[in-house]
Amino acid sequence: MPTPAPTSASPVAARILDAAVRRFAADGIRTVSADRVIAEAGVSKVTFYRHFPTKDALVVAYLTAVAEAERAAVDEYRAAHPGDARAVLDAYADVLGGAACLPGFRGCPFINAAAEYADPGHPVRAVVAEHRRWMVSTATELLTALGVPGAAAAAEELVMLRDGAMVAGYVGGPDTGEAVAGHLRRAGAAIVAAHRPPAS
């Protein structure tokens, strides 16, 4: 997945968030304490809590940064392939496949966060839900542009496929990551084909 580039009006807050991005991506959210982020960012506890009153606030900022990076990446694909929704979907599949090949890949940060925060009313889950709505909405727009009937239902299926690819890239064998992009393309094409009426 695209690497988030933390942005903030405060350079100190950006440094803290950058440290959190590295640690959460590498080790998971629950296992990384606020003290560990504080040490990696090289700030005092007072400074940390001034910018992020709780660790949960930092997690929300982390997921927001990841979501913004993914949305910016999709915007770049759309700008690079104007009017070619299929190329945009293929570019997204290629990027996900490339991410799954990276050393230390731990799967989708949103799926992982949802697993670690069981309460659906938690602010972390709100960020997860909002990003998922964006994924489905974006897929629906692209499939509609391709003239796929039932684009909304097909979009839900593509997002489920994407979820499975992220899990496979994490828990699969050493060669799984390299195959993710190809699997995504073929399975995604099958979903699209299943929603098209049979040729008469």
Side-chain angles (χ1 to χ4, degrees):
M1 297 180 69
T3 302
T7 57
S8 172
S10 163
V12 175
R15 189 164 81 242
I16 295 168
L17 185 53
D18 183 59
V21 166
R22 291 194 304 271
R23 290 278 55 84
F24 291 159
D27 303 319
I29 294 171
R30 289 293 193 192
T31 59
V32 176
S33 66
D35 285 344
R36 191 170 175 193
V37 175
I38 287 166
E40 178 144 342
V43 298
S44 69
K45 285 189 177 184
V46 170
T47 298
F48 175 89
Y49 288 110
R50 180 183 304 128
H51 293 284
F52 301 99
T54 65
K55 180 188 167 184
D56 285 351
L58 178 62
V59 174
V60 166
Y62 156 66
L63 290 174
T64 300
V66 175
E68 289 173 351
E70 189 167 344
R71 295 177 192 200
V74 171
D75 286 344
E76 288 179 8
Y77 311 152
R78 296 178 94 161
H81 305 285
D84 190 347
R86 175 63 184 268
V88 175
L89 290 168
D90 284 347
Y92 186 74
D94 289 342
V95 168
L96 291 184
C101 292
L102 295 176
F105 177 72
R106 289 180 51 86
C108 172
F110 299 96
I111 295 173
N112 294 344
E116 295 191 51
Y117 287 84
D119 178 5
H122 193 283
V124 167
R125 291 291 296 270
V127 178
V128 172
E130 174 57 30
H131 188 61
R132 192 167 194 81
R133 282 191 292 271
W134 170 82
M135 286 194 293
V136 172
S137 173
T138 299
T140 300
E141 290 174 9
L142 293 169
L143 292 170
T144 299
L146 286 173
V148 176
E156 291 282 359
E157 292 166 11
L158 284 181
V159 172
M160 289 175 65
L161 176 64
R162 175 253 186 216
D163 292 345
M166 294 291 90
V167 174
Y170 180 27
V171 303
D175 299 325
T176 302
E178 296 178 7
V180 166
H183 291 328
L184 272 173
R185 283 187 180 223
R186 287 188 295 275
I191 288 173
V192 170
H195 282 265
R196 292 192 185 281
S200 56

